Every structure is written in structure tokens, then in C-alpha cells.
Amino acid sequence: METLPFTLPAFEPGWVWLVGAGPGDPGLLTLLAAHALRSADVVVYDALVDKGALALAAPGTELVYAGKRGGKPSPSQPSITASLIDFARAGKRVLRLKGGDPFVFGRGAEEAVALAEAGVPFRVVPGITAGIGGLAYAGIPATTRDTNAAVTFVTGHASTGEVPDGIRWDDLAKGSPVIVFYMALKHLQTIVDRLIAGGRDPNESAAIVASAATPAQRVVTGTLAALPRLCAEHGIEPPAIVVVGDTVTFRDRLAWWEPAGTAVERVTV
Ligand code: SAH
């Protein structure tokens, strides 16, 4: 990177940086994330991290994939944390790179706790989470003054693989004007049914934003009740964010980005 008019912390050997890469578009990396990529000895990255972001790593950087591949299960969480600790104890600069923000439905907290308990020094670099930045790429604001004074982030998929049962669906349906679901496609019908059973208007606006902020971005909008059918008809695949609420209607005016045909420019940062 060109010299910046301020200083960034040095990436010291033996440290782990737990870094969010944002949702897709490598242009959404923070300066700290780009700096970490340039400085790391080893990068342990997840499935949703964009290849363009990884290309920022210096030649010779060890790149370790820690996501699912070819239908095989991902490495277990304990084995990922153990490898972070081992690399750090071997004196490496360890970059743990995750999609979006590391502390939003990304198990970053579990990894940070393991590092803290092992006495390994670490830094957390937040990233732009898909439930905010991904929606923005679809022209859907997380809040507007006219529509919602609150927004709720919900996972549609508990660690058991089922719809999370710790959620009071009636309260959620009635209490949050905008609800943003992560990992919601598998149980979309159940989620929609529970929201409507909890008092949500079946005709409320809703959207699915798949592969947000990537060249493969697809956006489907419709009523809440129709969303599962639209998802199937359009063959929408994960990763996707599902959003329910009146902010979705802003997309009519704010759909500023369509991946195909977007002019791109090479800039030096
Ligand atoms: N830490 C991540 C979330 C990890 S959970 C973050 O802050 O964004 C994985 C889920 O995130 C996916 O199932 C999907 O719901 C969402 N997601 C991540 N990247 C996405 C993208 N580019 N487009 C749409 N959804 C995305």
C-alpha cells in the first residue's frame, strides 16, 4: 500500500489477528484488513472470503482453507482454534480471515476466547457484516427514519442444524419492524410460517439478497408469504440474507448496483 497519512499497528510475530473481510467485494476490506493481509505469514480463511481479498497476501504467504469443500464437513472448530494457537506459538503472524464481521454469526468470539485462554495475544478487526453491507448493495437500507427505529439480526440456523428454538417468534414478529436473517434459506418456509403465526402481515415486503456484493449477486423481492416460493422459482442458493420489513420498498428507488455491466476502475490505494 501507498504510505498512509496515519499509522497502523504493526502485525507482530506470535499474534493472531481475527479479521472480518466484509461480504464479497474485496473493496470492502478495511485498511487494517488489507494491512494484515500484506503482513501475515499465514492466513486461515473461511469459505465466504473472496479470492480477490486473498490475492492481497504477499507471495509465499501460507494460505490455509478452513471451510467446507466438496461436500466434506469443515474442519472442526477445535482443530481450527488449535491450529491458530500452534501457528502463533511457532512465532508466525497469523491472520484469521472471516467473511463479514468476525463477531457476527461467525464463531469469532469462540476463537477469541480460545486464544485468550491459551494466552495468545490477539487483535480483532471488525468487518462489514452481510446483514448491513450486503443489503446496501441491494439498495435496501438497514434503517430509515420513516420505517424503523430498530433492526434485529437473527440466525435461521442453530448449531443443531434446526431453526433456533431460543427465539420467541411471537415477540420477534411483533417487536422488530425490520428483521434480517442470516443462514435462513434451509428453513425459510418454517421461518415465514412462524413470523406470520406470530402476527406478521403476510403481505409485508421482504427480500432475499444472495451472494451480495459479488458479481453473482441476485435479489428477489416479494411479500413475506410468497418468499419461499420465489426462492424456489428463482433457484436462489446460499449465501443469502433474508430481510423482512418496509425498508425493502426503498429498493425501488435505491437499487444502485447491478453486478453485470458495472463499470470498474483500477485504482491504487
Ligand atoms: N460473519 C458473517 C456471517 C457468517 S454466517 C457476516 O458478518 O456477514 C454466514 C451467513 O452470512 C450466510 O449464510 C449468509 O446468510 C450471510 N452472508 C455472508 N456473506 C454473504 C453474501 N455475500 N451475500 C449474502 N449473504 C451473505
Side-chain angles (χ1 to χ4, degrees), residues 23-24 48 99-101 104-106 129-130 182-183 209-212 214 239-241:
L48 292 175
D101 182 276
V104 179
F105 301 133
T129 190
Y182 292 65
M183 296 173 272
V209 185
S211 297
T214 79
I241 290 289

Side-chain angles (χ1 to χ4, degrees), residues 184-252:
L185 291 193
K186 185 165 172 219
H187 300 303
L188 186 56
Q189 186 67 60
T190 310
I191 289 167
V192 167
D193 290 347
R194 288 193 187 179
L195 289 177
I196 294 172
R200 204 83 183 190
D201 178 0
N203 291 315
E204 188 170 356
S205 297
I208 306 174
V209 185
S211 297
T214 79
Q217 173 171 307
R218 293 184 68 196
V219 184
V220 175
T221 54
T223 62
L224 174 60
L227 216 54
R229 177 178 55 75
L230 293 171
C231 183
E233 275 175 15
H234 290 271
I236 299 295
E237 302 273 354
I241 290 289
V242 172
V243 53
V244 180
D246 284 345
T247 54
V248 171
T249 61
F250 279 75
R251 175 169 162 77
D252 296 343

Side-chain angles (χ1 to χ4, degrees), residues 15-90:
W15 278 64
V16 177
W17 283 27
L18 194 53
V19 177
D25 188 344
L28 295 176
L29 289 170
T30 61
L31 289 173
L32 277 170
H35 166 55
L37 274 157
R38 291 276 167 87
S39 321
D41 298 309
V42 49
V43 181
V44 181
Y45 65 99
D46 281 346
L48 292 175
V49 170
D50 188 88
K51 297 291 170 287
L54 291 176
L56 270 180
T61 307
E62 192 177 344
L63 300 178
V64 180
Y65 181 74
K68 290 195 174 85
R69 185 174 276 162
K72 289 192 198 134
S74 44
S76 70
Q77 195 59 45
S79 78
I80 295 171
T81 40
S83 73
L84 297 177
I85 293 166
D86 289 348
F87 282 131
R89 288 194 173 143

Side-chain angles (χ1 to χ4, degrees), residues 117-160:
E117 285 175 357
V120 171
F122 63 93
R123 165 180 285 269
V124 180
V125 179
I128 297 177
T129 190
I132 296 177
L135 293 189
Y137 268 60
I140 301 173
T143 74
T144 80
R145 228 161 41 149
D146 296 337
T147 51
N148 58 314
V151 54
T152 306
F153 299 103
V154 180
T155 175
H157 199 264
S159 51
T160 56

